Amino acid sequence: KQAVFHSDEAELVYRKFQELIDLILAYEASVYSAWAQDVGAKSDANLSRPLLLRDAGSRHLSVNFDPQLVAVLREVKYLEMTRESGDIPERAAAIYNQNESFCQLVGNLDIASTEYNRILDTLLPVETPLLADELA
């Protein structure tokens, strides 16, 4: 039975397997390199945007935490589990170090905007002038 593993066909399979592994590793390295090059600039651009947006028509508030930032936080978390931490771009690591603060901030803003929007939706027309300054 062991002769099968040392046959010419087996050697061909092993070589093809190694070629496939090398191609996969090269692809992984190219994808990671492209991500590492762009992650800092994209994240900084998204972090500079306002965290709360107001709809002009309804005056409702919504949280504007970009999904790209959520993806960066998730990606860095998994990279820390699978790679050396020195391989992670410095800016991405710095953003990830604030992960807990971001989660808490977004959660609090979501609660505040939901309550604000609920107040706007349940406000009676007679109450609107009384609270106009507070809801501006």
Side-chain angles (χ1 to χ4, degrees), residues 53-69:
L53 296 177
R54 184 185 302 271
D55 182 85
S58 67
R59 311 246 334 124
H60 284 160
L61 294 177
S62 62
V63 178
N64 185 33
F65 194 75
D66 197 280
Q68 185 268 341
L69 290 170

Side-chain angles (χ1 to χ4, degrees), residues 1 24 26 29 32 38 45 66 69 71 75 101 106 108 125 136:
K1 291 184 177 182
I24 290 171
Y32 177 78
D38 292 342
D66 197 280
L69 290 170
E75 289 163 349
S101 296
V106 170
N108 289 343

